[in-house]
Amino acid sequence: MEGTVQFVQTTRGNDKIFRVLQYSLRYFIAKGLTCRQISSLEHHITLARKIARTTRDFEYFQKGLVAIGNPDKIEAVGRTVAAFGKCCWLLTDHIDLLYRIGVMSSKSGSPVSKWSKISNWLWLLGYLGSILLYLRQLSIVEDQILEAQRTFIGNGLAESINEEETDVQVVELDKLKELRSSIWVDVIRELLDCGIPAGSLGLMSMSSGSFAGVLSSCVGAYQVNKSL
């Protein structure tokens, strides 16, 4: 109970709860199980979440600049694509929002759909960059686990190894395996998240994309709650 209260009190926890609700409502709307109140609620939650992340593009921009100097080229590409993709996604999403609420207008008609489409492609690109990053991290951790297992087996055959050193090696190996599991959860979350922009772009059905958003939000909520 205490953990649940702590989860709800955090900004990230609150966002995950509203994200689950947002994509659940969007799923019902896509399936035709809707009414005016449900559509209105989904619209306002989406709008509130858009406003809440208005400054996060600067955070992603800074991460992108840092990622460029990463000595691991594959990881550098993943981090850079993920950071700048999500940065540009948020920037175009802000422009789309300004048109939607009437702050900006165009004489040639509403450009909302154009900016929305660009935003979703950049959003998808950001997720693909994150997946590349996590797969690279998985590869590195797998190599570390294999090396740790070889060392553990080698030391087990050596007469000079003591029990305390063995316990330390076991703990280190368990930590690496736990890290591997954590990264796999990240990969699954990002793959599910890809369904959200993919559904908006017509690469898959809107209902499937929304359902993927519900699942990814639940995974994200689990990760936030676990980190508390």
Side-chain angles (χ1 to χ4, degrees), residues 14-218:
N14 265 303
D15 181 64
K16 295 304 178 186
I17 292 172
F18 282 110
R19 198 174 192 263
V20 171
L21 181 58
Q22 175 190 0
Y23 289 112
S24 297
L25 293 171
R26 192 171 294 183
Y27 172 77
F28 292 135
I29 292 171
K31 283 293 187 180
L33 307 171
T34 185
C35 62
R36 183 175 60 82
Q37 289 84 354
I38 289 178
S39 297
S40 177
L41 180 59
E42 189 276 333
H43 170 75
H44 284 92
I45 291 176
T46 300
L47 186 62
R49 291 192 67 241
K50 282 178 180 285
I51 294 172
R53 60 182 183 232
T54 49
T55 57
R56 289 200 66 192
D57 42 358
F58 297 107
E59 175 189 338
Y60 284 122
F61 182 74
Q62 183 183 24
K63 287 181 178 180
L65 292 177
V66 173
I68 294 174
N70 194 305
D72 187 308
K73 298 303 179 184
I74 298 177
E75 191 170 333
V77 170
R79 287 186 184 278
T80 304
V81 171
F84 284 125
K86 290 176 182 178
C87 172
C88 294
W89 153 58
L90 287 173
L91 183 60
T92 52
D93 193 52
H94 300 338
I95 296 172
D96 178 55
L97 174 63
L98 293 175
Y99 276 111
R100 286 181 185 275
I101 62 179
V103 174
M104 295 174 65
S105 60
S106 174
K107 294 180 179 179
S108 58
S110 175
V112 169
S113 59
K114 179 187 74 173
W115 284 110
S116 180
K117 187 174 183 179
I118 295 172
S119 175
N120 279 298
W121 275 116
L122 290 168
W123 195 8
L124 182 58
L125 179 65
Y127 283 138
L128 293 176
S130 293
I131 292 170
L132 175 63
L133 167 63
Y134 290 134
L135 290 177
R136 176 56 179 165
Q137 290 179 341
L138 268 177
S139 175
I140 293 172
V141 171
E142 287 288 356
D143 289 342
Q144 291 174 339
I145 289 174
L146 287 173
E147 183 61 31
Q149 288 173 335
R150 290 193 197 99
T151 303
F152 182 74
I153 293 171
N155 288 338
L157 297 174
E159 295 181 0
S160 60
I161 194 75
N162 59 50
E163 187 175 337
E164 184 178 343
E165 289 175 326
T166 302
D167 290 341
V168 170
Q169 290 171 352
V170 170
V171 170
E172 289 300 319
L173 188 57
D174 287 343
K175 285 182 178 179
L176 286 171
K177 289 181 178 179
E178 186 177 345
L179 177 59
R180 177 177 61 184
S181 299
S182 175
I183 297 173
W184 268 118
V185 175
D186 287 327
V187 172
I188 292 169
R189 188 196 68 239
E190 296 294 304
L191 283 170
L192 289 169
D193 271 331
C194 285
I196 303 171
S200 298
L201 291 166
L203 302 177
M204 62 191 302
S205 68
M206 182 63 78
S207 59
S208 297
S210 300
F211 187 65
V214 174
L215 294 178
S216 70
S217 301
C218 291

Side-chain angles (χ1 to χ4, degrees), residues 3 7 178-179 181-182 185 219-228:
F7 171 77
E178 186 177 345
L179 177 59
S181 299
S182 175
V185 175
V219 173
Y222 161 77
Q223 289 180 301
V224 172
N225 189 53
K226 190 178 179 181
S227 68
L228 297 176

